[in-house]
């Protein structure tokens, strides 16, 4: 929240203990973001692209997910990231690792 800048090729990772439908808003976010909703099997369930800053609109893909990754708006299109793409986390604390 309240970010005015996000460095290129950087992002924010939200880790949840279980899968469920996630919903986010941009109320206090000052830059457009792409939101990647990631399932427990590490596949991308859906992408909300170029979200509108300061919006109260709910952003969700209506599919249960365990992780959400936020990156700069336009990043997913620039890198060819699509629904169904695989995600891999590296160098994170063990609590963020998917279950065996």
């Amino acid at each position: 929240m309240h970010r005015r800048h996000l460095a290129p090729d950087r992002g924010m990772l939200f880790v949840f203990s279980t899968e469920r439908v996630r919903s986010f808003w941009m109320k206090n976010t000052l830059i457009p973001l792409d939101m990647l909703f990631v399932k427990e099997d590490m596949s991308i369930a859906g992408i909300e692209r170029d979200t509108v800053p300061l919006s109260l609109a709910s952003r969700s893909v209506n599919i249960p997910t365990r992780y959400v990754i936020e990156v700069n708006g336009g990043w997913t299109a620039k890198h060819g990231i699509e629904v169904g793409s695989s995600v891999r986390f590296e160098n994170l604390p063990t609590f963020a690792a998917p279950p065996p």
Side-chain angles (χ1 to χ4, degrees):
M1 294 181 3
H2 304 289
R3 280 192 172 269
R4 295 183 185 282
H5 175 72
L6 182 60
D9 295 325
R10 297 285 185 236
M12 296 165 280
L13 171 64
F14 296 84
V15 178
F16 301 96
S17 60
T18 60
E19 273 193 324
R20 70 171 228 209
V21 173
R22 307 284 168 200
S23 180
F24 283 67
W25 64 0
M26 299 290 289
K27 178 181 178 181
N28 298 315
T29 306
L30 306 174
I31 57 175
L33 297 172
D34 288 353
M35 297 176 180
L36 296 87
F37 292 80
V38 182
K39 297 189 299 187
E40 199 164 68
D41 70 1
M42 305 307 287
S43 66
I44 297 174
I47 303 171
E48 286 288 313
R49 298 180 195 268
D50 288 309
T51 59
V52 177
L54 305 174
S55 171
L56 296 178
S58 178
R59 301 305 214 141
S60 177
V61 296
N62 294 317
I63 296 170
T65 57
R66 182 156 180 216
Y67 310 97
V68 176
I69 304 168
E70 294 181 343
V71 294
N72 282 306
W75 187 91
T76 56
K78 179 179 177 184
H79 293 279
I81 307 300
E82 297 292 338
V83 171
S85 295
S86 294
V87 173
R88 184 177 72 215
F89 300 143
E90 296 180 357
N91 302 314
L92 294 178
T94 55
F95 71 85

